[in-house]
Amino acid sequence: MNFYIVDVFAESKYAGNQLAVFCGAGVADLSDTQMLQIAREINYSETTFVRSPEPQNGGYDVRIFTPKKELPFAGHPTLGTAFVIQQEIINKPVQQVILNLAVGQIPVTFNYQNEAADVLWMRQNSPTFGQVLPADSLAGVLNLEVDEIDDRFPIQEVSTGVPFIIVPLKTLASLKKAKVNLDKYFELIETTTAKEILIFCPETYSDVNDLSVRVFAPSLGIPEDPATGSANGCLAGYLVNYAYFGKDAIDVKVEQGYEIDRPSLLLLQSQKKDGEIEVLVGGRVVMVAKGEFV
């Protein structure tokens, strides 16, 4: 099998979120157990498997695995895998690549600069909003004080395919010092549909960005994720639903991964339209390595 390593939501190599993509004739023969074993061997947040180089129903069948389990959807694997398919399987500029995932077909749209792929955009499912959680509970999980959480907005489970707990904070200082108390975390997720947590604040490391984000996913074997497209899609829907910026449409830049030395940039666009919230998440993908698994 051929494999490719790409950095997703990265402005340059060795930033963003790492992804390994496997493709070739041998991928179709892999069992679920073998795919999970390979994902553990790679030990990135996610590893993907393109099951066939030929499209099915207009899209490419793709499976996504963390080191612990398969996911029905994830953001940076979607963009990164679409990039590899365009670069290495289709091998020419195309407007769109569709991935057939467990949550359904997810289209990825390509923008080009001098015929080289530039920003990729994925349209996520319309967000659904789950239970609202108490601030004191999440403060305990994150080792923060209750007054560090922005009480103008709810702490809530949101999903565009994979649910996340969205926690609004007031300052970058609070975002920086947040640290998951694992005992309280695992106690909390016994009562929630969402198992992963996104925290965000309006203060940023870079003046050109609009929000700073961190994502914690211990239940997936990921203490902290450097760039999380699925979680930021949930955040985009949340920002519009609660008019965080005072309006029902957004076009913002989000930074993530600074605390773990993997600076990432995610582009979020979202608006209310025909009674639903549309969500687009974009970013750049950089090829880092190519090889063969034997």
Side-chain angles (χ1 to χ4, degrees), residues 217-272:
S219 69
L220 298 177
I222 305 164
E224 182 167 355
D225 202 34
T228 319
S230 52
N232 276 278
C234 297
L235 175 62
Y238 174 100
L239 296 172
V240 167
N241 193 56
Y242 294 107
Y244 185 85
F245 291 103
K247 51 191 177 182
D248 60 4
I250 62 163
D251 184 356
V252 297
K253 295 180 178 180
V254 174
E255 61 186 30
Q256 189 182 334
Y258 282 70
E259 294 77 14
I260 54 174
D261 299 321
R262 297 287 303 190
S264 306
L265 180 65
L266 301 96
L267 310 176
L268 309 185
Q269 294 181 354
S270 184
Q271 64 177 333
K272 286 186 177 178

Side-chain angles (χ1 to χ4, degrees), residues 47-113:
T47 296
T48 63
F49 301 87
V50 182
R51 301 292 280 173
S52 170
E54 299 299 326
Q56 308 293 324
N57 299 318
Y60 292 84
D61 292 345
V62 173
R63 305 276 295 275
I64 303 171
F65 284 80
T66 77
K68 282 198 170 183
K69 67 176 185 178
E70 184 174 8
L71 295 180
F73 170 72
H76 95 271
T78 298
L79 282 194
T81 305
F83 177 83
V84 170
I85 289 170
Q86 183 269 322
Q87 293 280 301
E88 302 295 333
I89 295 178
I90 300 173
N91 202 26
K92 64 180 180 181
V94 292
Q95 182 179 2
Q96 182 175 263
V97 172
I98 296 173
L99 302 192
N100 300 331
L101 304 177
V103 296
Q105 290 195 320
I106 300 294
V108 176
T109 302
F110 286 70
N111 291 336
Y112 294 89
Q113 197 169 73

Side-chain angles (χ1 to χ4, degrees), residues 67-233:
K68 282 198 170 183
K69 67 176 185 178
E70 184 174 8
L71 295 180
F73 170 72
H76 95 271
T78 298
L79 282 194
T81 305
F83 177 83
V84 170
I85 289 170
Q86 183 269 322
Q87 293 280 301
E88 302 295 333
I89 295 178
I90 300 173
N91 202 26
K92 64 180 180 181
V94 292
Q95 182 179 2
Q96 182 175 263
V97 172
I98 296 173
L99 302 192
N100 300 331
L101 304 177
V103 296
Q105 290 195 320
I106 300 294
V108 176
T109 302
F110 286 70
N111 291 336
Y112 294 89
Q113 197 169 73
N114 299 324
E115 296 194 352
D118 187 29
V119 176
L120 281 64
W121 290 93
M122 64 181 143
R123 182 177 297 278
Q124 297 188 9
N125 294 335
S126 183
T128 57
F129 296 86
Q131 68 171 314
V132 173
L133 301 168
D136 58 351
S137 176
L138 268 297
V141 170
L142 297 167
N143 281 296
L144 297 175
E145 301 298 326
V146 172
D147 64 4
E148 294 180 272
I149 296 173
D150 190 344
D151 61 6
R152 297 174 302 162
F153 304 96
I155 298 169
Q156 190 169 20
E157 294 181 274
V158 184
S159 178
T160 60
V162 174
F164 288 84
I165 300 168
I166 307 296
V167 184
L169 302 181
K170 295 177 181 177
T171 68
L172 185 60
S174 296
L175 185 100
K176 286 181 179 181
K177 78 174 188 179
K179 183 179 180 180
V180 174
N181 180 315
L182 290 176
D183 289 340
K184 291 182 178 179
Y185 165 80
F186 283 107
E187 181 181 340
L188 171 73
I189 64 173
E190 288 181 3
T191 66
T192 61
T193 301
K195 310 304 179 188
E196 289 72 56
I197 301 171
L198 178 149
I199 63 176
F200 76 98
C201 73
E203 297 178 353
T204 56
Y205 286 86
S206 172
D207 291 340
V208 302
N209 297 329
D210 301 292
L211 296 171
S212 197
V213 159
R214 295 178 72 184
V215 173
F216 306 106
S219 69
L220 298 177
I222 305 164
E224 182 167 355
D225 202 34
T228 319
S230 52
N232 276 278

